[in-house]
Amino acid sequence: MSTSQGAKTGQTENGAESQVTGTFTLKSGLAQMTKGGLVMDVVNAAQAKIAEEAGACAVMALERVPADIRKSGGVSRMTDPKIIKEIMATVTIPVMAKTRIGHIAEAQILQALGVDMIDESEVLTPADAENHIDKTKFTTPFVCGARNLGEALRRISEGAAMIRTKGEAGTGNVIEAVRHARAIRRAIAVARAMDETELYSYAKQLQVPLDLLKKTAKLGRLPVVNFAAGGLATPADVALLMQLGVDGVFVGSGIFKSTNPKKRADAMVQAVVHYDDPKYLAEISEDLGEPMVGINCEDMKEKWAIRESKMD
Amino acid sequence: MASVKIGILAFQGAFEEHKRCLENAWDKLGSNATLDIIIVKRPNDLTDLDGLILPGGESTTMSKFLERNNFQKLISDLVKGHNGKLPVTWGTCAGLILLANTIGGIDVTVNRNTYGRQNESFEASLMLTNDELKGNNGINGNIYHGVFIRAPGIVSVDSNRVEVLAELTNIDHQVRPVAVRQGNLLATTFHPELTDDDRWHKYFLQMVLERGIPH
């Protein structure tokens, strides 16, 4: 990822006055610094503090957690800047915030606020039925949701510095996150087994740039950091997704919709690190109180994960 | 065969990136010993280390993990040589904050997020002031391309036992240290693990090899 940047600098003559900001190395680098961590949805400063104290590697500043967005219905938009600013003033860890898909102006506002990362998110109501944001125009890094390798590589080609599975946010049901993590992993394994000739037609089939597909096949993983998201509610859910090879997790409603958010936050942060240690997971899973109630995905009125597929 | 055992603290952050860089740098050093990299998550993983890396990531997150299982004291004792061995220890970015503030042992004053938030993260050429680091690279030997992400700043060097290894001329024309060494401890405010320039990883491994391999 840093190859081109590194090559450029060898020729720089003088150390002074050659600072550059907003490069892809810096954007994807921030994502790399969140690896092995848990990003927690928070709706106010008090929750942000709990998240930080539990060891979250970043927070997502929101007006309502996804479970409440589902409940209240209607159009869901960018969070009030006042809430975002309060959260930014409260914690020292990175603060992320969501823009609607394709809503360039909301993203510009979030960048002006100085958030550390922007999530172009299907959890909010999409603003553009055909286009995603051209993320290369921004200095702030973006994370985007994906259900499969095609979506993931298209978002990366638009400039996303980080990918997360979509899952089904606000359900407390992990099935979709697992489906998406497995789909991406399986498609990469298929690409890896192909020769160069086959990759041409696979790129066409996936509707992705050939060079990105080649890079992915060579690396055996997505070329940017890849987290799981959408329905994780327990330390075991976290461990399951980590074992499927993601670099970290987002947890939304799963924490602050449970009966003991502090304890659950703590346990889920621990689970990201110790995902391969069932004995330890048994200890930290004990007596966490009731998890969020949860929704069975087949009972849902609206699946958010398919929100951007109409245009894909 | 003799082996060099390097631990990478893996609570959170860019520990895999360091692993890759260490392996690449090791191949180029041409040592007869083998490199054994330990992903450190449990206290037992700290046993018999010749070197330890505290990676970049979120220092607050890592501190929370250090509070558990007596980890902080174990690492603190380790880097101060209380266990008989004095492993070479390198903190990058968040790792520097841990070395300066939490674990202790390096006499510098550190300011978190000194340049601001992510939008102020930057890449810049910095000046190497240490001959060994310069010597590893023929062309433009004294220049190194630094990647600074929500980086901490070294506000002051508080002991003459601290050697400054690299300096950055800021936009305000002030020259500030961005890499320091004190005995067996090494610290950088930037991220060599995000670049292909392996001089810092070589330098770290050479520090380890200079101490001899007791295995």
Side-chain angles (χ1 to χ4, degrees):
Chain A
M1 243 165 286
S2 53
T3 321
S4 58
Q5 300 293 340
K8 225 187 337 185
T9 55
Q11 291 129 28
T12 313
E13 273 185 1
N14 193 334
E17 293 156 331
S18 58
Q19 298 193 1
V20 282
T21 58
T23 64
F24 193 72
T25 297
L26 293 166
K27 293 179 187 177
S28 59
L30 179 74
Q32 281 168 287
M33 294 309 136
T34 66
K35 281 169 79 174
L38 182 146
V39 183
M40 216 178 285
D41 280 2
V42 297
V43 300
N44 56 42
Q47 288 189 353
K49 201 76 211 159
I50 292 175
E52 184 172 57
E53 274 164 15
C57 67
V59 291
M60 180 74 71
L62 284 169
E63 215 157 85
R64 291 169 294 172
V65 293
D68 289 331
I69 295 174
R70 280 195 186 278
K71 216 181 281 172
S72 58
V75 176
S76 181
R77 309 175 179 91
M78 177 189 81
T79 298
D80 184 337
K82 185 170 179 245
I83 297 176
I84 296 172
K85 279 160 74 180
E86 274 170 15
I87 290 169
M88 284 169 62
T90 305
V91 294
T92 60
I93 54 178
V95 175
M96 307 184 181
K98 289 184 195 288
T99 172
R100 283 179 266 177
I101 289 169
H103 206 311
I104 300 162
E106 279 188 353
Q108 288 164 345
I109 291 168
L110 293 174
Q111 175 165 286
L113 284 170
V115 302
D116 296 290
M117 193 179 277
I118 300 170
D119 183 3
E120 188 180 18
S121 177
E122 71 286 355
V123 167
L124 306 183
T125 310
D128 188 324
E130 286 163 5
N131 306 291
H132 282 74
I133 295 169
D134 176 0
K135 294 163 273 286
T136 61
K137 298 278 194 295
F138 289 77
T139 54
T140 309
F142 276 75
V143 55
C144 288
R147 290 179 303 157
N148 50 49
L149 184 58
E151 287 188 1
L153 295 186
R154 280 195 291 279
R155 298 296 86 78
I156 295 167
S157 75
E158 293 157 2
M162 181 174 177
I163 293 294
R164 54 170 178 75
T165 63
K166 288 179 181 170
E168 268 303 335
T171 62
N173 190 337
V174 82
I175 186 168
E176 296 301 318
V178 170
R179 193 194 310 277
H180 303 158
R182 280 202 184 272
I184 290 171
R185 202 169 77 141
R186 192 183 313 119
I188 293 173
V190 168
R192 244 175 121 74
M194 287 179 173
D195 62 25
E196 295 231 342
T197 312
E198 290 169 313
L199 283 175
Y200 277 97
S201 76
Y202 198 38
K204 275 184 269 179
Q205 189 193 322
L206 294 177
Q207 295 180 283
V208 299
L210 177 64
D211 59 331
L212 265 182
L213 181 62
K214 276 187 178 167
K215 193 174 178 187
T216 304
K218 194 174 165 221
L219 290 169
R221 55 157 296 145
L222 286 180
V224 300
V225 169
N226 178 31
F227 271 38
L232 285 72
T234 67
D237 288 349
V238 171
L240 169 60
L241 268 305
M242 289 299 289
Q243 287 182 43
L244 292 177
V246 299
D247 298 313
V249 301
F250 285 82
V251 180
S253 322
I255 287 168
F256 289 103
K257 284 287 161 189
S258 72
T259 54
N260 193 342
K262 218 170 170 165
K263 201 168 175 189
R264 185 166 295 268
D266 216 61
M268 286 175 82
V269 168
Q270 292 286 311
V272 185
V273 175
H274 299 291
Y275 65 89
D276 54 357
D277 185 346
K279 264 192 180 164
Y280 189 68
L281 290 168
E283 277 173 44
I284 60 173
S285 298
E286 205 170 295
D287 198 25
L288 294 180
E290 287 291 312
M292 70 178 284
V293 175
I295 308 172
N296 284 317
C297 292
E298 53 269 32
D299 300 336
M300 263 170 2
K301 278 188 288 186
E302 191 184 11
K303 281 202 177 182
W304 289 342
I306 58 168
R307 266 181 169 169
E308 57 200 301
S309 65
K310 289 165 227 157
M311 61 195 117
D312 271 328
Chain B
M1 203 201 287
S3 76
V4 169
K5 213 170 156 185
I6 309 288
I8 309 175
L9 194 67
F11 293 144
Q12 193 269 322
F15 51 89
E16 279 167 4
E17 286 78 354
H18 269 298
K19 183 169 186 277
R20 181 183 57 84
C21 290
L22 279 177
E23 285 163 351
N24 288 341
W26 184 255
D27 288 343
K28 291 184 191 162
L29 284 180
S31 168
N32 291 327
T34 54
L35 177 68
D36 188 9
I37 295 177
I38 310 292
I39 297 299
V40 176
K41 290 184 178 184
R42 295 303 201 117
N44 285 345
D45 301 331
L46 293 169
T47 313
D48 284 334
L49 293 182
D50 301 302
L52 174 65
I53 291 182
L54 311 174
E58 278 310 312
S59 58
T60 318
T61 304
M62 291 187 219
S63 303
K64 296 295 160 192
F65 280 90
L66 284 174
E67 286 166 14
R68 289 168 201 273
N69 301 325
N70 202 30
F71 237 114
Q72 189 171 318
K73 187 170 184 304
L74 287 171
I75 293 186
S76 188
D77 287 350
L78 192 72
V79 303
K80 286 170 189 149
H82 293 177
N83 303 341
K85 234 177 173 178
L86 197 61
V88 174
T89 303
W90 177 15
T92 52
C93 193
L96 156 65
I97 298 169
L98 296 181
L99 268 184
N101 296 350
T102 312
I103 293 161
I106 202 153
D107 297 319
V108 293
T109 304
V110 173
N111 179 16
R112 289 191 58 185
N113 300 345
T114 199
Y115 306 95
R117 308 188 72 96
Q118 173 62 16
N119 283 343
E120 285 74 52
S121 291
F122 62 95
E123 297 181 49
S125 298
L126 46 95
M127 286 291 186
L128 301 177
T129 51
N130 172 279
D131 287 338
E132 218 177 315
L133 278 159
K134 286 185 208 170
N136 284 336
N137 194 7
I139 321 149
N140 293 327
N142 58 341
I143 302 279
Y144 177 83
H145 186 68
V147 176
F148 296 78
I149 296 176
R150 287 168 46 94
I154 296 172
V155 181
S156 66
V157 170
D158 307 328
S159 159
N160 57 14
R161 293 188 299 140
V162 175
E163 183 198 354
V164 174
L165 302 177
E167 290 172 338
L168 175 71
T169 307
N170 287 71
I171 297 168
D172 58 9
H173 299 289
Q174 276 194 305
V175 180
R176 296 228 175 81
V178 287
V180 291
R181 175 179 175 174
Q182 182 172 354
N184 63 318
L185 305 180
L186 176 66
T188 55
T189 64
F190 49 91
H191 294 283
E193 78 280 13
L194 297 185
T195 72
D196 291 330
D197 189 335
D198 56 13
R199 279 181 282 172
W200 289 93
H201 287 85
K202 277 189 193 154
Y203 182 76
F204 168 75
L205 288 168
Q206 271 158 353
M207 279 173 74
V208 174
L209 288 173
E210 277 161 21
R211 307 190 80 84
I213 308 161
H215 300 294

